[in-house]
């Protein structure tokens, strides 16, 4: 018996029949059903701590978006980070015409947006660490887009019997399961995963998005296949009690919090005149140009940055902070881009380490150079 099981038993948690659940299920239309849930893991139950996963969805006439997020327990703002990340993602993909956007532009815009959203929180930015999986689906065109930041995953239902296959995989730094990438990470754009496609041409029947607390669905193929098929059939029948029971079963395989979203889509997938396609998975290049790294020379600020050991090119960062005049109230993200001080895809990658080391502060939506930092 593992230590958290012993603690749970001592506290009587094992005898609890109704595990707290946040299950939401809905039939969105004749061809689309959704279920979302997040549940506290044994570790947090044992220590009487809150669930640090979060999941939700947002629906409109033409689109539905669902998202799950796993707050990093080592960060004080884990729960807040998960909630803010999910809420921002739902609003973003429901409001944006993502089908017409270039993928690299979309990733830049989305990551900059979510990190700005976290920066505006009352919590310390470096404490707002969480993973994120988002899936947005257009019910009219049947196109979809999904983004994965961190060690969550996306699976697709690809047959009428609801067999599944992996689409977006968990990311772990240096193959270490204890290390991943978060929404507030400096290098998030280098490790974000994105996939787009069309459920008609790919002969798909839905999606499952999960945090790493549900990794048993991947590591035990037989159990995962059986569980995901059961969830799909229960969702088609709008059987909430069975769905909750199956999600609670997952808790027996982990001490981690669990968040999961299931979206079933069943239009006419088997039309013979539709050409089969595969999902398009993108690899993004977000490196700063060598010329941009070396063309600045502001000695005094550069020296301070070098002393602070900021993890960005010192001369590049020096030009940035030299333009953040406190007397002018600082510069917003839009100002930095419009004034060509920063490229769009490098703003937060530059500002975050400067904030962490105290050279820059963020207040009233603007970045200001902290001369006392």
């Amino acid at each position: 018996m593992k230590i958290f099981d012993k603690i749970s038993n001592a506290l009587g948690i094992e005898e609890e029949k109704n595990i707290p659940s946040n299950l939401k299920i809905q039939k969105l239309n004749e061809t689309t059903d959704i279920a979302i849930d997040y549940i506290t893991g044994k570790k947090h139950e044992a220590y009487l701590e809150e669930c640090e996963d979060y999941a939700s969805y947002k629906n409109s006439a033409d689109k539905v978006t669902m998202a799950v997020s796993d707050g990093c327990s080592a960060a004080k703002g884990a729960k807040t980070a998960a909630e803010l990340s999910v809420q921002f993602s739902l609003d973003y993909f429901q409001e944006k015409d993502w089908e017409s956007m270039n993928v690299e532009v979309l990733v830049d815009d989305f990551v900059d947006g979510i990190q700005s959203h976290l920066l505006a929180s009352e919590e310390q930015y470096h404490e707002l660490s969480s993973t994120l999986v988002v899936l947005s689906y257009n019910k009219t065109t049947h196109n979809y887009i999904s983004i994965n930041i961190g060690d969550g995953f996306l699976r697709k239902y690809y047959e009428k019997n609801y067999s599944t296959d992996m689409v977006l995989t968990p990311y772990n730094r240096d193959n270490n399961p204890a290390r991943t990438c978060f929404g507030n990470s400096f290098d998030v754009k280098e490790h974000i995963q994105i996939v787009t496609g069309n459920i008609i041409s790919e002969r798909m029947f839905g999606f499952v998005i999960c945090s790493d607390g549900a990794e048993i669905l991947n590591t035990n193929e037989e159990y995962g296949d059986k569980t995901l098929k059961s969830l799909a059939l229960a969702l088609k029948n709008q059987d909430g009690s069975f769905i909750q029971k199956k999600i609670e079963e997952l808790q027996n395989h982990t001490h981690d919090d669990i968040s999961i979203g299931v979206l079933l889509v069943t239009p006419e997938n088997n039309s013979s005149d539709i050409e089969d396609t595969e999902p398009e998975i993108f690899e993004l290049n977000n490196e700063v140009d060598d010329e941009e790294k070396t063309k600045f020379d502001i000695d005094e600020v550069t020296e301070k940055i070098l002393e602070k050991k900021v993890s960005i090119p010192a001369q590049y960062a020096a030009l940035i902070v030299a333009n953040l005049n406190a007397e002018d109230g600082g510069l917003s993200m839009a100002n930095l881009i419009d004034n060509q001080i920063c490229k769009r895809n490098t703003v937060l990658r530059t500002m975050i380490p400067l904030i962490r080391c105290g050279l820059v502060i963020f207040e009233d939506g603007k970045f200001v150079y902290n001369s006392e930092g």
Side-chain angles (χ1 to χ4, degrees):
M1 183 179 292
K2 297 181 180 180
I3 182 64
F4 298 119
D5 294 316
K6 294 179 180 179
I7 296 173
S8 298
N9 292 348
L11 293 174
I13 293 172
E14 186 180 64
E15 298 176 2
E16 186 71 40
K17 293 183 179 180
N18 296 313
I19 301 173
S21 173
N22 300 281
L23 177 64
K24 294 189 290 186
I25 65 172
Q26 185 179 355
K27 176 172 280 297
L28 304 179
N29 57 31
E30 290 303 311
T31 62
T32 313
D33 302 87
I34 193 168
I36 286 283
D37 197 9
Y38 57 102
I39 189 169
T40 308
K42 288 184 178 181
K43 179 178 178 180
H44 286 159
E45 281 189 340
Y47 289 106
L48 304 180
E49 295 173 340
E50 292 184 296
C51 179
E52 292 174 340
D53 272 30
Y54 186 69
S56 190
Y57 74 93
K58 198 168 186 178
N59 182 48
S60 65
D62 62 335
K63 285 188 290 187
V64 59
T65 302
M66 61 179 181
V68 300
S69 181
D70 175 11
C72 172
S73 294
K76 295 179 181 178
K79 183 174 184 290
T80 300
E83 293 175 354
L84 290 176
S85 298
V86 167
Q87 291 163 0
F88 175 84
S89 301
L90 299 183
D91 291 339
Y92 183 91
F93 283 100
Q94 286 296 105
E95 295 169 6
K96 291 283 185 177
D97 180 15
W98 46 262
E99 291 172 277
S100 66
M101 295 177 70
N102 172 275
V103 171
E104 292 198 358
V105 171
L106 183 148
V107 169
D108 288 338
D109 191 47
F110 175 71
V111 173
D112 289 350
I114 200 168
Q115 293 188 336
S116 294
H117 194 59
L118 294 175
L119 274 170
S121 167
E122 295 180 359
E123 299 273 1
Q124 292 292 315
Y125 180 82
H126 67 278
E127 298 287 1
L128 293 169
S129 299
S130 67
T131 66
L132 178 69
V133 189
V134 188
L135 184 286
S136 189
Y137 168 63
N138 188 312
K139 291 176 281 185
T140 302
T141 65
H142 305 301
N143 291 327
Y144 70 88
I145 185 171
S146 185
I147 282 180
N148 185 21
I149 297 173
D151 54 12
F153 58 91
L154 165 73
R155 299 187 71 94
K156 66 176 181 179
Y157 288 109
Y158 66 91
E159 291 182 357
K160 284 187 176 180
N161 69 351
Y162 295 116
S163 296
T164 65
D165 195 11
M166 185 77 86
V167 179
L168 293 179
T169 59
Y171 168 74
N172 297 112
R173 296 181 188 275
D174 304 319
N175 295 316
N176 184 343
R179 301 183 66 238
T180 189
C181 179
F182 302 111
N184 66 343
S185 296
F186 169 63
D187 59 352
V188 61
K189 290 182 183 178
E190 298 174 18
H191 302 296
I192 193 171
Q193 300 176 66
I194 182 169
V195 62
T196 64
N198 182 279
I199 64 109
I200 300 291
S201 59
E202 292 174 39
R203 314 289 183 181
M204 292 172 58
F205 290 82
F207 310 88
V208 182
I209 58 174
C210 299
S211 67
D212 71 327
E215 65 180 355
I216 185 67
L217 298 175
N218 297 327
T219 58
N220 186 324
E221 186 175 343
E222 182 179 355
Y223 174 80
D225 183 64
K226 181 179 179 180
T227 299
L228 291 174
K229 285 180 178 179
S230 297
L231 285 174
L233 293 170
L235 179 53
K236 288 303 295 181
N237 291 315
Q238 296 287 293
D239 188 345
S241 60
F242 184 83
I243 293 173
Q244 182 170 337
K245 178 182 177 182
K246 297 304 293 184
I247 294 174
E248 289 169 1
E249 273 184 16
L250 293 174
Q251 196 189 43
N252 296 324
H253 298 276
T254 182
H255 295 304
D256 202 359
D257 298 337
I258 299 168
S259 49
I260 184 170
V262 181
L263 180 71
L264 297 184
V265 286
T266 52
E268 296 179 2
N269 286 45
N270 297 308
S271 300
S272 59
D273 59 344
I274 297 177
E275 182 180 355
D276 290 352
T277 64
E278 293 293 328
E280 188 169 4
I281 301 176
F282 295 89
E283 294 184 3
L284 303 173
N285 179 13
N286 289 296
E287 293 297 320
V288 181
D289 295 338
D290 289 339
E291 180 182 355
E292 184 179 13
K293 291 181 180 179
T294 59
K295 67 182 180 181
F296 306 119
D297 183 17
I298 305 175
D299 294 338
E300 182 178 349
V301 183
T302 301
E303 185 176 349
K304 181 179 287 189
I305 290 171
L306 287 170
E307 291 174 355
K308 294 280 187 177
K309 297 182 179 179
V310 178
S311 58
I312 51 177
Q315 292 171 324
Y316 174 52
L319 177 71
I320 305 299
V321 297
N323 281 274
L324 302 178
N325 192 329
E327 294 180 1
D328 296 333
L331 296 175
S332 66
M333 181 181 293
N335 296 149
L336 290 169
I337 296 170
D338 293 342
N339 295 339
Q340 298 184 336
I341 297 170
C342 288
K343 292 182 179 180
R344 177 179 292 275
N345 66 344
T346 64
V347 175
L348 289 173
R349 294 171 62 189
T350 303
M351 304 313 299
I352 290 167
L354 294 172
I355 291 171
R356 286 176 175 172
C357 73
L359 288 171
V360 172
I361 57 177
F362 183 77
E363 58 184 10
D364 299 326
K366 292 188 176 181
F367 300 96
V368 182
Y369 175 44
N370 179 19
S371 59
E372 299 178 358

